[in-house]
Amino acid sequence: MAILIVADHDNHTLQAATFSVLTAASEIAKHISDTELHLLIIGNECQSVIAMAQGITGLSKILVADHQIHQYPLAENIAPLIFSLVQEQGHCNDENREFDKVEYSHIITSAGTTGKDYQPRVAALLDVAQISDIISVESADTFKRPIYAGKAIATVQSSDAIKVLTVRSSAFTAASLTTELLAIESQVPVAALAAQADSGKSAFIKAELTQSSRPELTTAKIVISGGRGMQNTDNFELLYTLADQLHAAVGASRAAVDAGFVANDLQIGQTGKIVAPDLYIAVGISGAIQHIAGIAGSKVIVAINNDPDAPIFDVADYCLVADLFEVLPELTAVLKVKG
Ligand code: FAD
């Protein structure tokens, strides 16, 4: 038996979410006797990702589908690949064509944009249910997940033979990378998967990503978000200046994204990113349930809003009823003095 973990990466580095998924997979493994953790890397020219993965303790095998068609993570190509791997319940080593029989009990990845795209297709191909966005592992077949935008937590038990899961990465601490292993030859065997034909059902056109030197939104320790109250794109500069002083990431409400103030990869909430920083500062955000769904795991929430009845104050630890256009420059000036 084995648990198949599908890696998040950009063909250069493993993304932080994968380390949280590894923790979730290890927790599942504790409930199954004699199971292994296999990491599946799907990409193109992703040798540095493989090298990084070899520094992960606890893995029994790294499976690699390194092919041009996987340069960009298209669900229409990824889902059949995972399906065939699991359906055959095995994989072959490219060089000697030996076939290793493996039975997968779980297929697990992060509930990021890519995982949310292909995992439902994998589940449909296997004719099993998908269990989305798990926040805890109760046993090998029972998991907790938020429903109604986080207003309630459901405990879900699956009787399917194979569990197809996505993991809320902010709910699991990241497994550590044993960096010393990077320098020496890893013992984790790497198996190359046979090349696969392009499904032809989708094509990559372009990616427009926000270029930022600030921390990544989902892993940042401090996040400052702006809402419709910011009024326009230029005013977001006030947040960027403050964020740079605090080494924080910048996020936004959906209203701010829809109004075109910022790019949609900054959106936080039910249909955006889920964050769980040590400190979350909501500026000019009313606190709609769909936004709260993305920030509920934050350790401390600070809200700045000029409406004393704004719902964000119901969930905030520190509430500042004030005009953001007065507060932000003052805060920035104070932090500058304190250095
Ligand atoms: P508003 O609700 O308009 O609030 C603006 C706030 O700014 C107000 O509270 C106001 O008092 C304050 N303000 C104005 N001027 C100032 C000032 N000068 N100083 C201080 N405060 C000021 N939303 C998300 O954020 N993320 C999601 O993922 C998301 N997903 C959704 C999914 C669905 C299916 C639906 C239906 C909605 C979703 N929404 C989501 C939208 C959500 O319902 C709200 O509409 C949105 O969060 C509101 O954004 P906001 O708080 O910026 O704007």
Side-chain angles (χ1 to χ4, degrees):
M1 289 283 261
I3 297 171
L4 186 66
I5 301 152
V6 190
D8 282 292
H9 65 90
D10 59 0
N11 288 321
H12 301 290
T13 53
L14 272 174
Q15 282 164 6
T18 296
F19 295 94
S20 300
V21 176
L22 276 157
T23 302
S26 304
E27 286 184 22
I28 295 169
K30 283 182 202 155
H31 298 277
I32 311 169
S33 58
D34 203 20
T35 194
E36 295 182 347
L37 300 185
H38 292 185
L39 184 74
L40 173 60
I41 298 173
I42 306 169
N44 185 35
E45 297 186 356
C46 48
Q47 291 80 0
S48 55
V49 180
I50 301 165
M52 203 173 164
Q54 287 180 312
I56 298 170
T57 43
L59 284 182
S60 300
K61 185 163 281 188
I62 298 169
L63 306 167
V64 181
D66 190 331
H67 194 268
Q68 212 182 344
I69 67 161
H70 298 306
Q71 172 69 28
Y72 301 101
L74 299 178
E76 290 78 3
N77 286 334
I78 294 174
L81 171 77
I82 297 173
F83 174 62
S84 62
L85 182 63
V86 175
Q87 196 192 34
E88 288 166 2
Q89 299 195 333
H91 41 83
C92 59
N93 182 313
D94 225 10
E95 285 181 8
N96 54 23
R97 312 299 295 172
E98 270 177 18
F99 207 81
D100 298 336
K101 283 280 178 201
V102 183
E103 210 177 311
Y104 287 111
S105 58
H106 298 74
I107 306 164
I108 180 167
T109 195
S110 78
T113 319
T114 310
K116 283 197 279 192
D117 198 6
Y118 64 74
Q119 280 293 68
R121 296 162 202 259
V122 172
L125 289 167
L126 290 167
D127 197 20
V128 298
Q130 188 206 223
I131 305 174
S132 313
D133 210 16
I134 64 161
I135 56 168
S136 83
V137 173
E138 304 300 301
S139 71
D141 64 3
T142 309
F143 311 93
K144 287 196 168 167
R145 58 176 300 261
I147 54 172
Y148 299 116
K151 280 278 177 199
I153 305 297
T155 304
V156 184
Q157 186 171 33
S158 165
S159 55
D160 284 325
I162 301 175
K163 277 78 171 160
V164 176
L165 307 166
T166 60
V167 172
R168 180 174 292 198
S169 47
S170 60
F172 294 86
T173 48
S176 55
L177 186 68
T178 313
T179 43
E180 303 85 62
L181 278 179
L182 293 172
I184 60 170
E185 203 172 318
S186 169
Q187 297 304 305
V188 184
V190 178
L193 301 177
Q196 168 208 15
D198 190 338
S199 74
K201 289 181 182 159
S202 64
F204 174 83
I205 306 293
K206 64 173 177 173
E208 287 184 20
L209 298 175
T210 308
Q211 298 297 328
S212 172
S213 54
R214 296 186 191 97
E216 207 271 313
L217 201 47
T218 54
T219 52
K221 293 205 179 319
I222 304 177
V223 174
I224 306 178
S225 287
R228 204 195 312 260
M230 295 303 297
Q231 294 182 0
N232 57 43
T233 305
D234 291 344
N235 290 337
F236 258 81
E237 285 299 330
L238 294 167
L239 288 191
Y240 298 142
T241 310
L242 184 58
D244 289 341
Q245 277 177 315
L246 293 171
H247 306 293
V250 172
S253 71
R254 177 159 155 184
V257 169
D258 287 351
F261 302 167
V262 291
N264 66 359
D265 57 342
L266 297 195
Q267 184 179 319
I268 291 173
Q270 187 186 341
T271 43
K273 290 180 176 159
I274 308 287
V275 298
D278 293 341
L279 173 62
Y280 183 80
I281 307 176
V283 184
I285 291 178
S286 60
I289 181 178
Q290 296 89 355
H291 188 79
I292 303 301
I295 65 166
S298 306
K299 289 204 179 80
V300 174
I301 297 176
V302 173
I304 302 169
N305 199 303
N306 60 4
D307 174 4
D309 297 323
I312 189 80
F313 290 138
D314 295 338
V315 295
D317 300 284
Y318 295 92
C319 310
L320 188 53
V321 181
D323 187 330
L324 69 91
F325 296 108
E326 288 173 17
V327 169
L328 289 180
E330 280 177 28
L331 203 52
T332 306
V334 169
L335 286 167
K336 205 174 264 175
V337 170
K338 298 219 163 175

